[in-house]
Amino acid sequence: MSRIPVPRPGRPGAVLALAAGLLGLLAAPPGAPSPSPRTSPAAAVAENTATVFYWTKTKNWTAHNLHYAPDGGSWTTVPGVAMEPACTDWVKKTVSLGTAAGLQATFNNGSGTWDNNGGRNYALGTGNITVKDGVVAHSDPCADTPPPASAKATVYYSTEALGWTTANLHYQPAGGAWTAVPGVGMQAACAGWWKREIDLGTAASLKAAFNNGNGTWDNNGGSDYTIGTGVSTVRNRVVTANAADPCAATPPDTRAPTVPAGVTATADGVSVLLSWDPATDDRGVTKYQVTRTGGSGGTVVTDVASTVYSDTGLAERTAYTYTVRAVDAAGNVSAASAPATATTGDRPATPATGKPLGTDPRKDPIYFVLTARFNDGDPSNDRGGSQHVKSGNAANDDPMFRGDFKGLIQKLDYVKGLGFSAIWVTPVVLNRSDYDYHGYHGWDFYKVDPRLESAGASYQDLIDAAHAKGMKIYQDVVYNHSSRWGAKGLFVPTVYGVRDSQWSWYYDEKQPGFEYDGLTIDAKTGKSYYNGDLWSTAEPAGNTCVNWGKPTGGKSAEGYTVYNCQWPSPTSGMFPKELYHQCWIGNWEGEDSRSCWLHEDLADFNTENATVQNYLIGAYDKYIDMGVDGFRVDTAVHIPRTTWNRRFLPAIQERVTQRHGAEAAKNFFVFGEVAAFVNDKWNRGSVNHSAQFYTWKERKEYDADDAKAALEMYDYEQQQGTGNQPTSTNAFLDGNSYHTPDHSRFSGMNVIDMRMHMNFGDAQNAFSNGKDSDDSYNDATYNVVYVDSHDYGPNKSSERYAGGTDAWAENMSLMWTFRGIPTLYYGSEIEFQKGKKIDCGPTCPLADTGRAYFGDHVTGSVTATDFSQVSSASGAVATTLQQPLVRHVQRLNQIRRAIPALQTGQYSTEGVTGGMAFKRRYTSGSTDSFALVTVSGGASFTGVPNGTYTDAVTGDVRTVTAGTLSVAAPGKGNLRVYVLNGPGRIGTAGPYLK
């Protein structure tokens, strides 16, 4: 501890503010007697007093203290005693002097600013004394002035989310002192609310903290609360000034919502898509009633949760009329909307959509490809974009959009031959930016990017071809953001652009009838990147961008004049706040990380807005209808959990159920990217930013408004903290027994196991960290597990994993046997681009990065007769298939596919010694699969069921009679899997599994 200097009386030191803070903790409670020497009653002497008045008008201090010493006596402790308001521009303090005939005095503001009469201190007498700008006089300046009116603050505090049985208010009026701990008791006002009225004197506000009297505090995360005069409420760490009395009786809701407007009906074959504008209500609309008339079905009324409804399976060439009513929580129903009519056409000759395979996703190892970089089946759709030359890609004849669906279809047998039964593809929607091959700059969410499609190789063709081979397609989807140019059909900003001698190279001339599709080259300019539809020199109607078209004073890299409103950004004013957020992220573990922009290329949707929600739900319904098997959700952490749980996840389930049935919906696999790049269980202590948090339903009700609910949930869960989050045993065995998992509190979203990913620099570390978090997921057996990806390697490395072949084999052995779903980033089976920077944008050629073109390694022909089984291969792909990690992953997939416990089993390390060692079991009907696993190191298993165990790797047979089985270390990259009543050795020995 540092030594604290003591100031000389009348010469205050620099540490007075600290001393003042300490005094608040050490002072005796108000009214407590001070110790004094014992005196005889007969010795009592009349006591002198002094009432000191101090002039405040010229000081502008917010607090005033009198630091004094009676003549012949000791000085008060710094900063002295607080003075109270007397009358306008005066404060006062009456002090006892004992037998002294005067006092020495100085004055201060409690924060280090002093008035000590130029270093001489003030010499004062008794009675009424005034000190005004250094002049001492004897009078009462307030004798004829009434005291100032006292301000009142009525504070209501909600303990609804805290469970407190009492509440105290500990406070400090502005310029005054804190109450003694624990403060003043609050009175019960109504259910969940406590109340206290405070007399503030002349103060205009107070600082406050609350506690339950037993040591549990709410001090606003250490910042305390600032509360003004009048009625204020404090609920879930939100202060509402000039609030209504929360305990006033709520009048019954008798007002109906407004009538839905803008109802449109559009027919597509024998389906009708109905949409309308959201209705409003003083307490919130809860649903809509859609009434259909026409056809032979009579009148049909359907309840709908959103403002989009797809009516399917209708009669051909029949007119249907629809009206919509809004309903609120009280059951009040609006009048019917204006009718909208649509006439159906002919029923499609064949189904226009596919159907998901609908099986348990844990059975399907995942192969992850950047579609545009995997294999080029159709060079005619290759596109380099505006950065083709600058990036260095042109010099390598390597356009950013190179791979396509045709190339992926051609190599489905390669992926199946590796043993994978699910393929995760990067986003397929039409993108729009200078460098958008990866798919995360979505512009038209309702259109598949033509740079990925070919004749006979559409996205639908890919889905159907994969399903024909028993393989699933998981589509990468983005709900958080669009491209920087907005989203077609929702909002596209108009930017300022002048086609002068400096900028004509950038701003394409407008071409009537020409529409950007990413593929079609504008014949007039000869460029594929078309922006003639995005810019205007004239200020557009309704422009909200400040200083439209005026020079900023800056220059571009080329030395060209830069203008205001020339480039979209959250703070430019180009985007409406109803549809897009208006800020940059400042704190990646703060609330703003869920409501601000990540990057200039990623315009952040206001996902709490119903119009945005319906736009995205409608877009992704299209791909559900096409039969995809699941969604990988990009940037899931940047959308509040309440919005996922209220809107997007139920919409997915509803659509899959409607189109493909309940079983398909149960197994439609949604796994989110909740990027927490830390090596601990909870992301820097923030539950709202931790992966496992998104696997749970809400545990309390929040405001009906989604934006308010998001803030309420954030504050509530942050206050609950890491120690009060839900837990689960769904991933764990009960001893040696499998138990039916409880998914009743499951949100509908599984997640990528970011903690294992971050620690895969070493397999043992990944294993230890992974299992440490598993009780906080709803069900960790659904976690998606990978070593590296298109974004990062372990420990947030910017390079593809380069730990060596043995380490790769060890990582794979762990991923394919431990709980979760093993996932491999394309090319890792041959250590493709190991150690190369994963992404450097257009500042270097793609060929030099971890996103290089892979097709050269799979040229030739390949035929897979089953998963992990290749009957024939020729050309470069035949060489690729002989690589050690290829053979390793092929056999791992064979073993995992043959042993149910490794796919869907729960696990335990109870009774297990060894590094990466565990037991797994899955029981269902006639299936009872029990496996003992050790990765690399030796292990012993005690307390296991007796019986015959066979190693799936070597075929070694062990008979257990006393509940114990010991296994020698198989070596790095190797593995032992002893299965009770197992099938024997699976596959043939390779470079590692031997």
Side-chain angles (χ1 to χ4, degrees):
M1 177 181 289
S2 300
R3 179 176 176 271
I4 301 177
V6 178
R8 187 161 57 92
R11 302 281 186 173
V15 294
L16 294 181
L18 174 60
L22 294 173
L23 285 174
L25 297 177
L26 301 176
S34 300
S36 59
R38 183 180 301 274
T39 58
S40 167
V45 179
E47 185 176 65
N48 292 326
T49 62
T51 300
V52 181
F53 292 86
Y54 188 70
W55 175 253
T56 65
K57 188 172 184 178
T58 56
K59 294 297 184 185
N60 291 320
W61 292 355
T62 58
H64 302 80
N65 297 300
L66 170 64
H67 181 46
Y68 71 96
D71 291 346
S74 300
W75 283 86
T76 54
T77 304
V78 173
V81 294
M83 304 184 77
E84 62 259 17
C87 56
T88 302
D89 299 328
W90 289 94
V91 292
K92 71 175 182 178
K93 186 66 180 180
T94 299
V95 297
S96 174
L97 302 178
T99 59
L103 67 154
Q104 292 283 307
T106 64
F107 304 88
N108 65 85
N109 68 350
S111 299
T113 301
W114 287 75
D115 172 8
N116 60 3
N117 195 21
R120 299 184 300 274
N121 301 334
Y122 289 97
L124 309 178
T126 59
N128 294 325
I129 309 162
T130 62
V131 179
K132 180 178 180 181
D133 293 337
V135 177
V136 178
H138 290 265
S139 65
D140 180 353
C142 301
D144 299 321
T145 304
S150 180
K152 306 284 186 182
T154 302
V155 182
Y156 285 89
Y157 182 67
S158 172
T159 59
E160 176 189 14
L162 303 176
W164 293 359
T165 56
T166 188
N168 297 306
L169 170 60
H170 179 47
Y171 71 93
Q172 176 195 41
W178 283 91
T179 55
V181 173
V184 296
M186 303 186 76
Q187 298 87 33
C190 57
W193 286 95
W194 299 78
K195 174 183 178 182
R196 182 75 189 211
E197 185 176 82
I198 303 298
D199 188 337
L200 295 179
T202 59
S205 64
L206 67 148
K207 288 279 192 181
F210 303 88
N211 64 85
N212 67 351
N214 290 310
T216 301
W217 284 79
D218 171 12
N219 62 359
N220 195 23
S223 301
D224 299 323
Y225 293 96
T226 299
I227 300 172
T229 57
V231 177
S232 300
T233 61
V234 183
R235 181 171 182 259
N236 293 337
R237 290 178 61 178
V238 176
V239 176
T240 303
N242 301 316
D245 183 347
C247 295
T250 303
D253 183 3
T254 58
R255 182 188 300 176
T258 60
V259 178
V263 181
T264 60
T266 306
D268 180 11
V270 291
S271 299
V272 171
L273 180 66
L274 198 70
S275 65
W276 57 93
D277 298 331
T280 60
D281 184 73
D282 57 336
R283 301 188 190 178
V285 175
T286 57
K287 65 180 180 179
Y288 295 90
Q289 291 179 351
V290 176
T291 301
R292 181 189 77 202
T293 57
S296 60
T299 300
V300 178
V301 179
T302 305
D303 286 345
V304 179
S306 67
T307 59
V308 178
Y309 174 60
S310 181
D311 199 10
T312 60
L314 302 172
E316 296 179 294
R317 296 180 297 280
T318 303
Y320 291 92
T321 299
Y322 298 84
T323 58
V324 183
R325 299 173 183 264
V327 185
D328 65 16
N332 299 308
V333 182
S334 74
S337 68
T341 301
T343 302
T344 56
D346 294 330
R347 189 177 305 279
T350 56
T353 61
K355 186 175 180 63
L357 296 182
T359 55
D360 192 318
R362 294 174 295 178
K363 297 180 179 181
D364 301 299
I366 302 170
Y367 191 72
F368 170 36
V369 301
L370 268 76
T371 310
R373 306 303 298 161
F374 182 65
N375 186 49
D376 191 5
D378 179 8
S380 71
N381 62 12
D382 293 356
R383 293 292 182 271
S386 65
Q387 302 297 303
H388 190 47
V389 174
K390 181 179 179 180
S391 65
N393 291 337
N396 292 323
D397 192 22
D398 183 25
M400 62 171 182
F401 266 94
R402 188 171 178 183
D404 45 38
F405 295 143
K406 187 173 183 178
L408 186 50
I409 291 170
Q410 290 172 347
K411 300 305 173 185
L412 286 176
D413 269 23
Y414 170 75
V415 179
K416 185 171 184 176
L418 295 177
F420 293 93
S421 49
I423 301 176
W424 158 13
V425 296
T426 39
V428 305
V429 304
L430 176 58
N431 269 230
R432 192 169 193 177
S433 80
D434 289 336
Y435 217 52
D436 56 0
Y437 66 94
H438 43 65
Y440 298 99
H441 297 167
W443 186 66
D444 188 345
F445 286 69
Y446 286 77
K447 182 182 180 66
V448 175
D449 201 309
R451 292 169 288 189
L452 299 175
E453 294 196 302
S454 310
S458 66
Y459 187 39
Q460 186 68 66
D461 292 327
L462 169 64
I463 295 167
D464 295 344
H467 287 174
K469 292 182 180 294
M471 302 166 72
K472 296 179 177 179
I473 295 294
Y474 295 147
Q475 178 180 330
D476 211 322
V477 295
V478 185
Y479 287 77
N480 177 67
H481 57 263
S482 69
S483 76
R484 64 167 172 260
W485 304 114
K488 182 184 176 184
L490 181 69
F491 177 78
V492 176
T494 298
V495 303
Y496 177 80
V498 56
R499 299 191 76 250
D500 58 15
S501 59
Q502 294 184 338
W503 288 106
S504 59
W505 64 275
Y506 184 77
Y507 296 108
D508 297 333
E509 186 177 348
K510 294 184 187 295
Q511 301 297 317
F514 184 84
E515 184 173 342
Y516 169 84
D517 64 7
L519 180 67
T520 306
I521 297 176
D522 175 14
K524 190 161 186 176
T525 63
K527 295 193 298 183
S528 61
Y529 184 76
Y530 175 70
N531 63 22
D533 58 334
L534 298 174
W535 67 273
S536 172
T537 303
E539 185 170 358
N543 170 57
T544 56
C545 186
V546 180
N547 295 321
W548 173 267
K550 294 181 180 179
T552 65
K555 299 287 184 180
S556 72
E558 299 86 357
Y560 300 154
T561 299
V562 176
Y563 300 90
N564 282 298
C565 309
Q566 195 173 13
W567 194 257
S569 79
T571 56
S572 65
M574 291 186 191
F575 290 86
K577 64 182 180 180
E578 295 78 14
L579 305 179
Y580 282 88
H581 290 130
Q582 307 284 301
C583 51
W584 296 106
I585 292 177
N587 178 6
W588 291 87
E589 277 75 43
E591 198 286 324
D592 58 335
S593 76
R594 308 177 315 156
S595 57
C596 297
W597 287 36
L598 293 159
H599 188 271
E600 64 182 9
D601 275 329
L602 311 177
D604 202 79
F605 284 130
N606 179 3
T607 50
E608 286 61 69
N609 175 275
T611 301
V612 174
Q613 292 167 357
N614 291 331
Y615 175 83
L616 293 167
I617 290 169
Y620 291 125
D621 279 353
K622 169 179 177 174
Y623 306 106
I624 290 171
D625 294 353
M626 293 173 74
V628 297
D629 300 275
F631 289 156
R632 179 268 186 182
V633 181
D634 181 71
T635 51
V637 69
H638 298 295
I639 295 175
R641 187 179 73 178
T642 47
T643 305
W644 284 117
N645 288 350
R646 284 182 173 189
R647 309 301 174 198
F648 296 136
L649 295 173
I652 291 170
Q653 281 290 301
E654 180 180 300
R655 188 67 169 198
V656 180
T657 302
Q658 179 189 61
R659 290 296 193 185
H660 307 299
E663 188 65 17
K666 173 186 174 184
N667 290 311
F668 189 88
F669 190 45
V670 178
F671 58 105
E673 177 203 25
V674 182
F677 298 112
V678 292
N679 295 314
D680 53 15
K681 184 171 183 175
W682 298 99
N683 185 358
R684 296 181 176 88
S686 175
V687 295
N688 278 278
H689 300 85
S690 301
Q692 55 269 46
F693 182 73
Y694 280 76
T695 66
W696 297 94
K697 288 181 178 178
E698 306 307 333
R699 45 183 168 166
K700 67 187 298 291
E701 291 294 324
Y702 300 106
D703 196 284
D705 178 84
D706 285 353
K708 293 179 181 177
L711 292 173
E712 289 178 1
M713 185 273 295
Y714 181 88
D715 288 338
Y716 174 74
E717 294 293 357
Q718 290 295 91
Q719 193 169 38
Q720 291 298 301
T722 60
N724 293 312
Q725 295 302 308
T727 58
S728 167
T729 62
N730 285 338
F732 305 113
L733 293 172
D734 183 2
N736 291 315
S737 299
Y738 177 87
H739 62 92
T740 302
D742 177 9
H743 294 148
S744 61
R745 295 182 293 163
F746 176 49
S747 67
M749 181 187 290
N750 296 288
V751 291
I752 296 168
D753 197 317
M754 296 301 294
R755 191 173 182 193
M756 287 195 72
H757 162 55
M758 283 296 295
N759 287 280
F760 255 120
D762 175 72
Q764 175 67 61
N765 202 33
F767 172 68
S768 300
N769 276 273
K771 63 189 178 70
D772 177 57
S773 295
D774 284 355
D775 64 339
S776 58
Y777 295 98
N778 183 268
D779 191 341
T781 66
Y782 288 86
N783 284 12
V784 170
V785 182
Y786 57 59
V787 173
D788 63 359
S789 73
H790 59 322
D791 287 326
Y792 293 103
N795 297 314
K796 206 179 181 183
S797 165
S798 297
E799 292 77 37
R800 288 195 73 159
Y801 182 69
T805 309
D806 289 354
W808 248 125
E810 184 177 51
N811 286 340
M812 289 178 179
S813 294
L814 175 61
M815 286 195 292
W816 261 259
T817 55
F818 188 44
R819 58 92 186 122
I821 303 170
T823 301
L824 199 70
Y825 181 40
Y826 82 105
S828 293
E829 65 272 23
I830 61 169
E831 297 179 85
F832 180 60
Q833 298 294 89
K834 63 181 179 182
K836 294 293 183 68
K837 192 171 184 64
I838 293 172
D839 174 32
C840 58
T843 64
C844 71
L846 279 167
D848 295 341
T849 72
R851 297 177 178 180
Y853 176 65
F854 189 64
D856 295 337
H857 297 275
V858 290
T859 57
S861 66
V862 58
T863 302
T865 54
D866 203 348
F867 294 105
S868 301
Q869 296 180 11
V870 175
S871 61
S872 64
S874 63
V877 70
T879 302
T880 295
L881 288 167
Q882 292 304 310
Q883 299 305 304
L885 289 179
V886 170
R887 296 176 61 191
H888 186 55
V889 79
Q890 284 177 315
R891 194 173 182 206
L892 283 171
N893 273 322
Q894 283 182 297
I895 292 170
R896 190 177 188 274
R897 198 170 297 279
I899 302 171
L902 301 184
Q903 302 171 46
T904 55
Q906 296 163 341
Y907 79 95
S908 173
T909 56
E910 181 184 350
V912 180
T913 60
M916 289 177 284
F918 46 90
K919 53 189 177 182
R920 296 191 68 184
R921 191 170 204 160
Y922 176 73
T923 306
S924 178
S926 61
T927 299
D928 186 4
S929 178
F930 185 75
L932 307 176
V933 180
T934 184
V935 179
S936 299
S940 64
F941 302 86
T942 60
V944 299
N946 292 330
T948 301
Y949 291 77
T950 306
D951 179 22
V953 177
T954 64
D956 179 48
V957 178
R958 303 282 190 91
T959 300
V960 174
T961 57
T964 300
L965 189 152
S966 296
V967 184
K972 191 163 186 175
N974 214 336
L975 180 71
R976 295 291 180 261
V977 184
Y978 281 87
V979 183
L980 181 62
N981 302 319
R985 186 175 68 179
I986 301 169
T988 58
Y992 291 102
L993 296 177
K994 56 186 179 180

